[in-house]
Amino acid sequence: EPEVTQTPSHQVTQMGQEVILRCVPISNHLYFYWYRQILGQKVEFLVSFYNNEISEKSEIFDDQFSVERPDGSNFTLKIRSTKLEDSAMYFCASRHSGRNEQFFGPGTRLTVL
Amino acid sequence: AQSVTQPDIHITVSEGASLELRCNYSYGATPYLFWYVQSPGQGLQLLLKYFSGDTLVQGIKGFEAEFKRSQSSFNLRKPSVHWSDAAEYFCAVGAMDSSYKLIFGSGTRLLVRP
């Protein structure tokens, strides 16, 4: 069964460093999402992406964040200059154009020191 | 504003007992509703979904949920809980008037007593 994959599973970085989180969505899906979950809190929407552009973003998704689909399979989230409060689990999700449900990857745990 | 409330932070049940996890939503239009489960260190797995039609929906692992428009609720149920059901459960509403983003509740952690 196809699934969403994410790498790395855990990333540790120093404050101020750039990080890139990678996702491989399900191959025939066209809609892509990033969510984050700060430890002990709810899952929060960050951004949605379709047809090579952002379709919606939340207040969390400020200028420090960017997303990209660099090729036909990967979908990345970049944090330009990480802050301590960026420490969280980041989930990628994808959705088929004819369906309403999103399928989530296993997440990347980002720890900013 | 769209929101999802899961009033129970933790629930403990004995193995074999029945389970009901509560979820209330606030959404202006007909909601698309989901339940996801997250085992420790794992991602989010879709248990079931409601879009329209029959208000009682069946999901994986023996779970079901009932949509009650009058109560703005979408409670998750299971008649007999197994130890492997211990996990965190998230209710979500899909914002189908925008990018289909999901708005999650704060989750309910289920503990199962042997």
Side-chain angles (χ1 to χ4, degrees):
Chain A
E1 183 175 331
E3 57 184 21
V4 178
T5 59
Q6 291 185 242
T7 54
S9 57
H10 192 187
Q11 173 101 39
V12 181
T13 189
Q14 296 291 323
M15 190 170 55
Q17 295 296 303
E18 174 184 286
V19 295
I20 297 176
L21 310 183
R22 291 182 167 80
C23 168
V24 179
I26 295 173
S27 63
N28 63 347
H29 288 190
L30 300 179
Y31 296 83
F32 313 118
Y33 304 83
W34 283 102
Y35 294 82
R36 80 171 185 190
Q37 184 184 28
I38 295 172
L39 187 63
Q41 299 186 24
K42 68 171 69 176
V43 178
E44 303 172 287
F45 167 76
L46 290 179
V47 65
S48 59
F49 190 86
Y50 169 70
N51 199 26
N52 282 321
E53 60 183 33
I54 291 172
S55 48
E56 187 175 356
K57 60 183 180 180
S58 72
E59 295 175 352
I60 304 167
F61 195 88
D62 61 20
D63 292 344
Q64 293 300 311
F65 291 87
S66 62
V67 289
E68 189 180 31
R69 188 154 165 81
D71 53 43
S73 60
N74 289 284
F75 179 51
T76 62
L77 174 69
K78 181 193 293 186
I79 309 175
R80 188 174 309 126
S81 177
T82 51
K83 303 187 281 286
L84 295 177
E85 53 266 37
D86 293 327
S87 294
M89 181 75 92
Y90 288 81
F91 292 107
C92 174
S94 68
R95 178 174 69 86
H96 187 277
S97 60
R99 306 290 296 269
N100 295 319
E101 61 264 41
Q102 296 177 26
F103 293 88
F104 283 77
T108 293
R109 178 162 297 284
L110 176 64
T111 302
V112 182
L113 303 175
Chain B
Q2 303 150 354
S3 65
V4 177
T5 301
Q6 294 179 249
D8 303 306
I9 299 173
H10 294 102
I11 281 187
T12 301
V13 300
S14 297
E15 190 168 16
S18 63
L19 170 71
E20 183 169 29
L21 303 183
R22 295 183 290 166
C23 172
N24 293 96
Y25 67 89
S26 173
Y27 189 70
T30 300
Y32 287 15
L33 295 160
F34 305 85
W35 275 98
Y36 285 85
V37 60
Q38 183 182 32
S39 298
Q42 303 296 310
L44 296 162
Q45 182 183 23
L46 180 66
L47 280 177
L48 47 75
K49 57 188 183 285
Y50 171 78
F51 299 146
S52 64
D54 192 348
T55 55
L56 183 64
V57 293
Q58 303 297 319
I60 63 171
K61 305 184 180 186
F63 285 92
E64 65 178 27
E66 186 171 13
F67 170 62
K68 293 185 178 179
R69 185 186 300 275
S70 61
Q71 298 177 20
S72 297
S73 69
F74 188 57
N75 293 349
L76 181 71
R77 301 195 293 249
K78 186 169 184 178
S80 178
V81 169
H82 188 263
W83 64 266
S84 60
D85 293 324
E88 184 130 26
Y89 291 80
F90 292 94
C91 181
V93 62
M96 301 304 166
D97 55 348
S98 59
S99 65
Y100 286 54
K101 70 183 180 191
L102 294 177
I103 299 158
F104 285 86
S106 52
T108 297
R109 180 162 297 280
L110 173 65
L111 303 174
V112 180
R113 279 194 297 257

